[in-house]
Amino acid sequence: MSTDRRDDGGRRLKRILQYGVLGVLTLLFVSPLLYMLSTAFKTTGDAASPDPQWIPENPTTNAFTTILDNEGTPVVRWLVNSLLAAGLQSLLIVATASLAAYALARLDFPGKKVVFGVIISTLFIPPVILLIPNYLITSRLGWLDTLAAVVVPGAAGAFGVFFLRQFFLGLPAELEEAAALDGAGRLRTFLTVVLPLSRPALVTLGMLSFLTNWNDFLWPVYVLFSPESQTLPAGLATLQNANAVRYYLLMAGAVIASVPVLVLYAAAQRYVVEGVSRAGLKG
Amino acid sequence: VTTTRAEQAAAAEAAVGGGTPPGPGARRRSDARDAYLFLLPYLVLFAGFVVAPFLYGVWISLHEYDFSLPDKPWVGLDNYVGLLDGSSPYFDTFWQSMQATWIFTILSVPLLLVLPLLVALVMNEKFRGRNVFRAMYFAPYVLGVAVVAVLWRYLLDNNIGLINHYLGVLGLPSDTAWLTSLPWAWISLVGVTVWWTLGFNAVIYLAALGEIPGDLYEAARMDGASAWQRFRNVTLPGLRPVLLFVTSVTIIASVNMFGQSFLMTQGGPGTETRTAIYQIADTGLTNFSSGASAAMSMIFSFFLMLVSLVVFFLFRERRTEGGPR
């Protein structure tokens, strides 16, 4: 950032130190992933060898075929289920929360304070309180072991409403008033004026919701049990239980779970990281 | 399904109501109607999966509520009392799991606040490859807890894991049981959690550092402030609002730790690393003692809310001391 060049030697030293730290960190973050990749292509014996092989001596795709041929471990299905669950839930959150937040930010109606107060107060309820009752409710709705169980209940949290309301309050009202004078209804104003202006906030909320669902472990482990309905976290737990120390299988499963995600992430990296980084600034 | 139908209803309503030029009274009335329609889809979700389960949870905790039994007798506060005075069969396991939760929280939160900040400070400059590094440190979070835990269980294996191998190469003990003995199981769980989520906090810090105006640093430098003084008097105050956010999010995440322990140590050795969430889920969803489990979640939440209050007021106090903003 600074432009003064009082001390070129010091600056160079600082830069070397900086790249040194970044280099060590990179090694810490990348090498475990490379080792996972390597083990996925090892034979049973090589994967259990105490001498680490960074490059498999007898490369084989045996682990992948074993997993993919096993009906009990449909890893690709798990991946699709996870993407669907996280994608649908974040869409549901963005859609319902933006509508509700807009009403709370811009419209006057009897009971507004009460509604807002009740919604906000639930931000302070630790979600574990809802775990057992939500399980029973999900069960009564007949949603156990279905996609609905990992999409709908988790979309009810108040964070999205709170977050978007803050954002809408910061938008200038003139544009909406102009649209209303042109005869646009509320919904049209909302869809054609407010939402386009709110893209950064919607992306942030969508990304946070996606990542939260993607990383959720407890709920899917208990509400999804048959192999074809499981999401990745639940499925990998099953895979691990069945194969305790058959690490070549576990690593192959982890690789199948990771590679598509990392490719997607590499492509959308800017949106993901920037979406998350804005959460702190607005919060 | 309910929400899309409700949205369609809202759309239809708005399309019909949109044409007439509204007077002030009509405007307010249509405001109210629109507001309720806009709120409806969310409120359906909110009522069904937040308000109802909350009340239902209180109700369950007052019953001997076994999912698999036909009779669910009212027991008043017995579930709570039993967990407090030792008469519940879950007394020992519950309080041990509470202790495990605090151990993990106290060990992990400081590291998760400080290490990402250091990483963010190192990266808070324009240099080549900055975004690549940032994306790389964030990557484990994208992989998810299951991949991360399965991977590290392999690396930490006492016989064939990389960690013990390289410790041996360095001439250190190479037979540590990282996941099945104490304190190593805690150290592993905390270390893996840091590896998994460091990037998340770092990215948030980094964005906040970018918002601190450069001329504040310039001015401090003119005044002869040392690097530490600049950090103390410019960086930290600039980070304060974000620190509250990062601290709360990190505490909540640590207190709710479950996946790492479930996948890496299975709560062991014994039940030493079985956290409160783990215990609550196991009691309610595996043993189907929903009443006891619901009471546990209330007691747990009581403590969690106390902690949140303390954090909140700590930051508020400092903010008023600090003067403007």
Side-chain angles (χ1 to χ4, degrees):
Chain A
M1 282 245 181
S2 89
T3 47
D4 64 329
R5 294 170 187 267
R6 283 173 307 187
D7 187 357
D8 257 358
R11 279 173 64 83
R12 194 169 307 145
L13 184 73
K14 201 180 146 201
R15 181 111 311 175
I16 290 170
L17 213 72
Q18 188 183 29
Y19 275 110
V21 172
L22 294 173
V24 171
L25 276 172
T26 305
L27 194 70
L28 282 175
F29 277 90
V30 174
S31 55
L33 298 176
L34 290 179
Y35 200 65
M36 168 175 94
L37 189 66
S38 151
T39 296
F41 289 99
K42 286 178 194 167
T43 59
T44 323
D46 285 350
S49 153
D51 287 319
Q53 293 177 13
W54 284 91
I55 295 170
E57 275 166 22
N58 311 291
T60 169
T61 53
N62 179 32
F64 291 97
T65 45
T66 309
I67 285 192
L68 295 173
D69 288 347
N70 183 346
E71 282 175 11
T73 57
V75 187
V76 177
R77 183 69 192 265
W78 295 341
L79 182 71
V80 173
N81 287 344
S82 271
L83 287 170
L84 273 178
L88 290 175
Q89 182 168 82
S90 44
L91 279 180
L92 185 58
I93 289 175
V94 170
T96 56
S98 59
L99 282 168
Y102 185 69
L104 292 168
R106 283 285 197 267
L107 304 178
D108 271 327
F109 58 93
K112 180 171 168 177
K113 276 193 178 149
V114 178
V115 171
F116 184 63
V118 171
I119 291 176
I120 288 308
S121 67
T122 64
L123 272 178
F124 301 96
I125 296 180
V128 64
I129 284 195
L130 310 179
L131 174 68
I132 305 295
N134 258 336
Y135 179 90
L136 298 174
I137 290 173
T138 305
S139 156
R140 284 211 186 140
L141 289 168
W143 288 358
L144 286 185
D145 210 28
T146 70
L147 191 62
V150 281
V151 171
V152 183
F159 173 76
V161 176
F162 171 73
F163 177 78
L164 290 180
R165 178 181 169 270
Q166 291 299 101
F167 186 87
F168 292 152
L169 285 175
L171 287 178
E174 286 85 20
L175 285 169
E176 294 157 51
E177 281 155 15
L181 285 179
D182 288 345
R186 280 286 176 203
L187 191 68
R188 243 193 58 213
T189 309
F190 175 73
L191 292 176
T192 59
V193 178
V194 178
L195 286 190
L197 283 175
S198 312
R199 195 168 295 154
L202 300 176
V203 170
T204 296
L205 179 61
M207 274 306 159
L208 281 178
S209 309
F210 190 96
L211 286 173
T212 305
N213 183 290
W214 184 261
N215 264 310
D216 194 12
F217 183 73
L218 173 65
W219 182 251
V221 161
Y222 283 100
V223 297
L224 305 175
F225 20 82
S226 55
E228 62 280 8
S229 73
Q230 280 177 327
T231 55
L232 268 181
L236 283 178
T238 314
L239 189 69
Q240 177 175 287
N241 283 340
N243 295 286
V245 290
R246 278 189 268 174
Y247 290 119
Y248 65 111
L249 282 183
L250 294 176
M251 293 308 113
V255 166
I256 301 172
S258 316
V259 169
V261 181
L262 286 180
V263 170
L264 270 182
Y265 171 61
Q269 176 267 121
R270 240 191 69 220
Y271 297 99
V272 181
V273 173
E274 278 166 21
V276 169
S277 64
R278 266 194 304 266
L281 300 182
K282 299 281 172 197
Chain B
V1 181
T2 43
T3 43
T4 40
R5 214 171 277 152
E7 276 163 25
Q8 283 162 2
E13 277 288 350
V16 173
T20 46
R27 175 99 218 167
R28 194 164 311 141
R29 240 174 296 128
S30 81
D31 254 20
R33 196 202 52 198
D34 288 350
Y36 294 132
L37 286 172
F38 272 56
L39 279 165
L40 187 67
Y42 176 72
L43 286 185
V44 169
L45 285 175
F46 182 72
F49 299 104
V50 176
V51 177
F54 179 74
L55 300 173
Y56 192 23
V58 174
W59 167 262
I60 291 172
S61 76
L62 301 174
H63 292 73
E64 195 182 319
Y65 199 106
D66 187 321
F67 193 51
S68 57
L69 295 180
D71 277 340
K72 299 172 173 65
W74 166 271
V75 293
L77 292 173
D78 279 6
N79 283 323
Y80 295 90
V81 173
L83 287 171
L84 295 174
D85 74 0
S87 59
S88 158
Y90 293 107
F91 177 78
D92 290 330
T93 43
F94 173 64
W95 289 104
Q96 194 191 14
S97 75
M98 290 289 279
Q99 193 193 332
T101 299
W102 299 137
I103 291 175
F104 180 78
T105 306
I106 287 164
L107 292 176
S108 66
V109 170
L111 291 174
L112 287 169
L113 292 180
V114 173
L115 293 178
L117 179 57
L118 294 179
V119 172
L121 286 170
V122 170
M123 297 183 69
N124 184 31
E125 247 173 293
K126 285 210 178 85
F127 59 87
R128 199 173 302 167
R130 183 172 181 260
N131 286 348
V132 177
F133 286 114
R134 191 177 67 164
M136 205 148 45
Y137 305 152
F138 192 80
Y141 192 76
V142 177
L143 290 180
V145 63
V147 168
V148 169
V150 167
L151 166 60
W152 277 95
R153 210 176 60 103
Y154 175 41
L155 301 177
L156 290 166
D157 187 288
N158 24 346
N159 297 315
I160 58 167
L162 271 191
I163 303 293
N164 270 349
H165 175 81
Y166 285 115
L167 287 176
V169 170
L170 294 174
L172 296 165
S174 63
D175 55 356
T176 308
W178 287 103
L179 300 172
T180 50
S181 72
L182 291 178
W184 307 112
W186 282 126
I187 290 169
S188 306
L189 289 169
V190 170
V192 171
T193 305
V194 169
W195 191 81
W196 175 37
T197 59
L198 178 141
F200 188 88
N201 284 356
V203 156
I204 292 175
Y205 279 136
L206 202 52
L209 288 174
E211 298 279 300
I212 300 174
D215 31 336
L216 283 182
Y217 288 105
E218 252 350 280
R221 203 172 281 141
M222 300 276 219
D223 292 344
S226 67
W228 168 251
Q229 284 169 326
R230 272 176 276 147
F231 175 75
R232 182 79 188 69
N233 297 317
V234 181
T235 310
L236 270 188
L239 286 180
R240 193 154 292 150
V242 154
L243 264 176
L244 172 62
F245 177 79
V246 173
T247 309
S248 339
V249 167
T250 304
I251 290 181
I252 289 172
S254 289
V255 160
N256 284 304
M257 192 272 265
F258 172 76
Q260 299 95 302
S261 157
F262 185 84
L263 287 165
M264 288 171 56
T265 64
Q266 284 81 45
T271 52
E272 296 281 347
T273 60
R274 178 181 275 228
T275 56
I277 299 293
Y278 198 153
Q279 182 63 41
I280 289 167
D282 196 61
T283 308
L285 304 178
T286 307
N287 292 340
F288 296 125
S289 295
S290 309
S293 173
M296 285 179 195
S297 69
M298 297 287 173
I299 296 175
F300 168 78
S301 299
F302 171 77
F303 283 105
L304 182 52
M305 284 161 104
L306 276 187
V307 173
S308 313
L309 276 181
V310 170
V311 171
F312 186 73
F313 281 107
L314 264 177
F315 278 90
R316 237 169 86 120
E317 283 301 308
R318 288 221 207 111
R319 195 182 296 188
T320 42
E321 260 172 47
R325 251 174 86 104

